[in-house]
Amino acid sequence: VASGNVELSYGNVEIHAQKLLFDTYSNQVWGTGNITIRRGTDEFNSSYIFYDLKKNVVKITDIHIAIQPPDGKAPIYLRAKEITDYDDYKIGKNGIFTTCEFDDPHYFIWGNKFDYYPDKRIIGHNVFVYAPIMFIPFGFWTPVYLYELGERKVIWNFPSIGEKKSDGWGWFMQN
């Protein structure tokens, strides 16, 4: 147990906390209080952390972060009850993401679960989209919501129009 101004550096992860508990047998760390976690270029603030040193997995609760998309658009604000941070991606539970900077956002997407692939995409599962229209509350549910963070691929699917000379056919339109 370490308390006070505690700092732990391991691999590409730095943890600053008021209190850390370290289990040397299982190589796991728990922390409470005002915690700052840095992993590469990402920085998180939380009130609880669990870090498995063997698997290099960080689990944090009550998180609020701003994600800067690679194309330079406005930041995306993410709040979640819990995020599990793996090397290449993050999995969140019970969270919202929005581009509204207010603590109580005007519009948002709430997801029961979401996957975040840095600089690539956010995938929400069991999602409720809330976006009022002219001060009238409007929202809808969808099983999956995909938001691309990088350059988006545009697929042009123009229909083809033609005439078939066979009996019973004539002009047609086909995708």
Side-chain angles (χ1 to χ4, degrees):
V1 176
S3 61
N5 189 13
V6 181
E7 183 176 328
L8 170 69
S9 293
Y10 185 81
N12 67 342
V13 177
E14 289 181 28
I15 302 169
H16 300 271
Q18 293 173 340
K19 183 177 181 181
L20 288 178
L21 291 89
F22 184 40
D23 183 348
T24 56
Y25 180 74
S26 65
N27 280 340
Q28 296 175 337
V29 176
W30 295 266
T32 58
N34 188 15
I35 301 171
T36 302
I37 304 109
R38 286 189 195 91
R39 184 176 202 153
T41 58
D42 297 330
E43 183 173 314
F44 312 104
N45 293 314
S46 179
S47 60
Y48 174 81
I49 184 172
F50 170 77
Y51 183 23
D52 188 330
L53 299 170
K54 286 181 186 176
K55 297 178 183 175
N56 198 23
V57 174
V58 179
K59 187 177 285 191
I60 46 185
T61 61
D62 298 323
I63 183 167
H64 298 238
I65 61 172
I67 301 167
Q68 186 63 49
D71 55 9
K73 290 184 180 175
I76 298 169
Y77 301 98
L78 174 67
R79 292 189 303 199
K81 287 291 180 190
E82 179 182 299
I83 288 186
T84 305
D85 183 10
Y86 298 93
D87 283 331
D88 300 336
Y89 65 97
K90 296 154 185 39
I91 296 176
K93 294 181 182 174
N94 195 14
I96 67 167
F97 51 100
T98 182
T99 55
C100 181
E101 61 191 24
F102 297 115
D103 288 337
D104 190 16
H106 298 92
Y107 49 90
F108 58 87
I109 298 171
W110 175 88
N112 188 342
K113 176 185 177 272
F114 58 90
D115 306 324
Y116 168 53
Y117 298 89
D119 296 335
K120 294 181 183 170
R121 70 187 60 83
I122 299 171
I123 305 169
H125 305 273
N126 192 19
V127 171
F128 180 76
V129 178
Y130 177 77
I133 300 171
M134 300 291 291
F135 303 106
I136 299 170
F138 177 74
F140 62 92
W141 173 86
T142 182
V144 176
Y145 183 85
L146 175 66
Y147 185 82
E148 294 288 343
L149 294 172
E151 187 174 327
R152 297 182 181 162
K153 297 176 188 172
V154 177
I155 300 172
W156 297 101
N157 190 11
F158 290 109
S160 60
I161 300 172
E163 181 180 14
K164 201 165 193 177
K165 301 286 186 187
S166 302
D167 288 340
W169 286 87
W171 287 94
F172 67 88
M173 185 167 59
Q174 167 183 342
N175 277 349

